[in-house]
């Protein structure tokens, strides 16, 4: 039977205020404050050009429960473009734009279906194929109950079922847990695809059936790093194909700069700018944290000759002249010798663990990689020098990661 193709997006957070970013020069701040809209426009343009069967938006269209007039106006205009292109849109509202908020009313065009406060089903027909969508909007900000229990189990195998759910896995302590579920709960509903929202990090929780967080369209702070966007999904009832489409107009990221052999300030500025330029060349405008690695005594001495604030401001000034823009939010120093003292016992215990692995255990550990249908063909056999190299890399990685914990 013919396949269907749709867009799975979530967490647009239109009109995010980027409150903590006031250090940015005016022009950059304006671009950043426009970024959630720019990302949304990318989504709309992509849909108009590629004409998917429908678009799903799984919660947090708006950043605030008052749904700013500007945000609604821009959303309205996007929905009208999709209406003109005859593309249906299915929207659920999340904890940020729950139904109990107060906002200026707009009437969205006829192509947009908004889910209400209880789990409901919508049947659509795509080229003779029946598709049922199941979802709900947040009736109020804090939905702590297991909404998953209200989703019906799919009985009819010739119909495609898609669940829309804005919430998080029970027991996830990194986010406020709303509308909690377990992966087993989702799988037990026998749907063909679960379109999740709420967690801003893009991730696939389960395959067959696919359980997917598309992540947000645009990063909002330094903990929402990397390229952001939505998934284009192709479903035929047997196979699911996912295509990630990037929309972020400003990327948050950590950029590493090796300070090996650096003795003079100009060498340091060149090393940083080279790293920044190559990052923005690939990713466009960016807000970066610079992670200085391989910092030896000699370079520490250089840094001590001026205040760290001065280094930061001088580097910001240099980066500000670039197009696409780069803003250096922070500089972290990973000083090789000092770190060793503080983290040595911890790293040492990990290295001892690595050293204790037999050849058989190494094989087991690397099995996924070597057994991979595509990647496996490109890998050489591992020699003992390679294992030593991996051990060294692991050591370095541990120090770098731990230095970021401060
Ligand atoms: Mn959100």
């Amino acid at each position: 039977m013919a396949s269907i193709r749709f867009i799975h997006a979530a967490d647009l957070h239109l009109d995010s205020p980027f409150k903590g970013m006031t250090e940015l020069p005016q022009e950059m701040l304006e671009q950043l404050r426009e970024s959630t809209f720019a990302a949304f426009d990318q989504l709309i343009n992509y849909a108009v050009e590629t004409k998917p069967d429908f678009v799903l938006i799984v919660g947090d269209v708006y950043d605030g429960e008052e749904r700013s007039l500007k945000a609604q106006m821009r959303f309205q205009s996007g929905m009208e473009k999709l209406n003109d292109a005859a593309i249906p849109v299915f929207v659920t509202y999340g904890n940020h734009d729950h139904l109990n908020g107060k906002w200026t009313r707009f009437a969205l065009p006829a192509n947009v279906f908004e889910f209400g406060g209880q789990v409901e089903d919508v049947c659509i027909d795509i080229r003779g194929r029946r598709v049922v969508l199941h979802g709900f909007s947040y009736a109020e900000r804090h939905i702590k109950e297991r909404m998953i229990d209200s989703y019906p189990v799919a009985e009819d195998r010739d119909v495609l079922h898609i669940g829309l759910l804005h919430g998080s896995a029970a027991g996830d302590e990194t986010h406020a847990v709303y509308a909690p579920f377990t992966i087993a709960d989702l799988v037990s509903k026998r749907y063909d695809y679960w379109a999740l929202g709420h967690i801003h990090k893009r991730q696939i929780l389960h395959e067959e059936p696919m359980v997917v967080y598309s992540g947000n369209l645009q990063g909002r702070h330094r903990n929402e790093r990397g390229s952001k966007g939505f998934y284009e999904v192709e479903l035929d009832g047997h196979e699911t194909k996912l295509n990630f489409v990037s929309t972020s107009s400003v990327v948050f990221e950590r950029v590493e700069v090796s300070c090996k052999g650096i003795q003079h300030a100009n060498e340091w500025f060149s090393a940083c700018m080279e790293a920044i330029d190559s990052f923005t060349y690939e990713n466009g405008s960016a807000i970066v944290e610079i992670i200085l690695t391989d910092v030896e005594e000699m370079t520490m001495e250089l840094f001590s000759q001026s205040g760290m604030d001065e280094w930061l401001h001088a580097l910001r000034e240099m980066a500000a002249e670039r197009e696409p823009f780069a803003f250096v939010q922070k500089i972290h120093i990973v000083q090789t010798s000092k770190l060793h003292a503080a983290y040595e016992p911890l790293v040492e215990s990990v290295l001892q663990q690595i050293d204790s692995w037999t050849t058989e255990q190494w094989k087991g550990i690397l099995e996924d990689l070597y057994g991979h249908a595509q990647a496996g063909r490109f890998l050489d056999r591992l020699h003992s020098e390679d294992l030593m190299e991996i051990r060294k890399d692991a050591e370095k990685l541990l120090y770098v990661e731990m230095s970021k914990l401060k």
Side-chain angles (χ1 to χ4, degrees):
M1 223 187 263
S3 62
I4 62 163
R5 186 171 59 86
F6 63 93
I7 282 174
H8 165 196
D11 297 282
L12 280 46
H13 285 266
L14 293 177
D15 214 5
S16 286
F18 294 95
K19 278 200 198 107
M21 304 299 299
T22 46
E23 278 182 309
L24 255 73
Q26 197 52 36
E27 226 172 289
M28 291 186 191
L29 190 60
E30 274 163 28
Q31 190 179 332
L32 188 61
R33 290 200 168 135
E34 181 61 21
S35 64
T36 52
F37 297 114
F40 173 65
D41 291 346
Q42 293 266 353
L43 164 73
I44 298 299
N45 293 342
Y46 187 88
V48 169
E49 272 164 33
T50 64
K51 296 222 183 313
D53 293 316
F54 52 89
V55 173
L56 306 178
I57 303 179
V58 193
D60 291 359
V61 174
Y62 302 104
D63 191 60
E65 61 178 34
E66 79 293 348
R67 306 188 183 181
S68 80
L69 198 62
K70 177 183 174 186
Q72 287 198 76
M73 208 184 72
R74 296 284 289 263
F75 188 66
Q76 181 86 17
S77 134
M79 293 304 105
E80 276 162 9
K81 280 182 193 151
L82 297 186
N83 192 36
D84 293 345
I87 301 168
V89 185
F90 300 90
V91 181
T92 74
Y93 296 104
N95 50 310
H96 274 259
D97 48 5
H98 62 93
L99 304 178
N100 199 26
K102 284 198 170 60
W103 65 88
T104 316
R105 300 289 159 161
F106 278 71
L108 290 166
N111 62 321
V112 182
F113 178 88
E114 298 166 280
F115 282 89
Q118 297 296 327
V119 175
E120 53 186 321
D121 304 342
V122 189
C123 283
I124 46 174
D125 193 297
I126 305 291
R127 293 182 301 280
R129 178 134 212 188
R130 263 162 63 80
V131 180
V132 183
L133 306 172
H134 309 268
F136 76 97
S137 289
Y138 277 46
E140 55 196 349
R141 185 173 185 96
H142 305 287
I143 301 284
K144 297 291 173 82
E145 64 257 41
R146 284 173 43 88
M147 295 300 287
I148 185 64
D149 294 335
S150 308
Y151 283 72
V153 173
E155 307 285 1
D156 36 8
R157 293 316 294 158
D158 54 333
V159 174
L160 290 172
H161 289 267
I162 299 173
L164 290 76
L165 177 52
H166 189 88
S168 46
D172 175 354
E173 272 152 28
T174 55
H175 297 81
V177 175
Y178 288 127
F181 58 83
T182 65
I183 293 172
D185 290 332
L186 303 185
V187 173
S188 74
K189 303 295 177 182
R190 304 174 65 188
Y191 294 0
D192 298 279
Y193 186 87
W194 276 98
L196 304 181
H198 185 50
I199 304 296
H200 291 183
K201 187 178 164 43
R202 179 171 74 250
Q203 53 198 301
I204 296 169
L205 298 185
H206 189 268
E207 295 181 34
E208 296 178 36
M210 283 279 187
V211 175
V212 179
Y213 279 112
S214 60
N216 50 348
L217 290 188
Q218 163 65 48
R220 297 187 307 146
H221 48 72
R222 64 197 185 92
N223 291 327
E224 295 184 352
R225 290 187 292 277
S227 194
K228 300 280 190 173
F230 60 84
Y231 278 117
E232 179 178 30
V233 185
E234 222 180 299
L235 270 189
D236 67 2
H238 301 285
E239 208 190 350
T240 308
K241 285 187 207 141
L242 286 185
N243 173 33
F244 171 69
V245 181
S246 167
T247 53
S248 38
S249 83
V250 179
V251 176
F252 289 82
E253 193 51 282
R254 288 171 171 165
V255 173
E256 275 188 36
V257 178
S258 167
C259 292
K260 205 156 194 71
I262 285 181
Q263 211 173 347
H264 302 102
N266 55 307
E267 292 156 7
W268 181 74
F269 284 116
S270 313
C272 289
M273 286 316 300
E274 203 176 295
I276 290 170
D277 284 341
S278 80
F279 183 78
T280 53
Y281 180 77
E282 293 279 330
N283 300 279
S285 298
I287 295 174
V288 298
E289 290 175 81
I290 297 288
I291 314 284
L292 300 175
T293 61
D294 308 315
V295 181
E296 293 155 352
E297 280 309 317
M298 171 176 74
T299 316
M300 270 323 278
E301 207 182 298
L302 172 71
F303 289 148
S304 72
Q305 291 159 5
S306 302
M308 244 13 251
D309 267 8
E310 282 183 78
W311 289 101
L312 178 61
H313 285 114
L315 186 60
R316 278 181 181 174
E317 205 174 300
M318 225 174 249
E321 291 161 13
R322 299 299 219 260
E323 180 60 45
F325 87 67
F327 179 77
V328 181
Q329 197 166 20
K330 266 183 157 184
I331 297 175
H332 302 270
I333 300 178
V334 184
Q335 198 189 347
T336 330
S337 56
K338 273 207 183 132
L339 271 175
H340 271 264
Y343 297 126
E344 204 138 27
L346 203 75
V347 173
E348 210 35 56
S349 76
V350 175
L351 293 179
Q352 270 175 20
Q353 175 78 36
I354 293 179
D355 289 340
S356 75
W357 290 337
T358 62
T359 313
E360 278 315 300
Q361 280 170 312
W362 271 105
K363 276 188 191 158
I365 289 156
L366 296 169
E367 194 180 82
D368 279 355
L369 189 60
Y370 273 79
H372 190 277
Q374 277 97 40
R377 281 184 277 145
F378 298 101
L379 296 170
D380 291 328
R381 229 168 62 84
L382 274 179
H383 298 283
S384 58
E385 306 91 80
D386 300 321
L387 300 184
M388 284 311 291
E389 196 64 29
I390 292 174
R391 182 190 188 280
K392 239 192 260 162
D393 287 347
E395 183 179 6
K396 195 176 150 204
L397 185 68
L398 279 170
Y399 281 124
V400 170
E401 288 301 317
M402 281 192 290
S403 72
K404 292 174 192 166
L405 297 177
K406 282 188 294 187

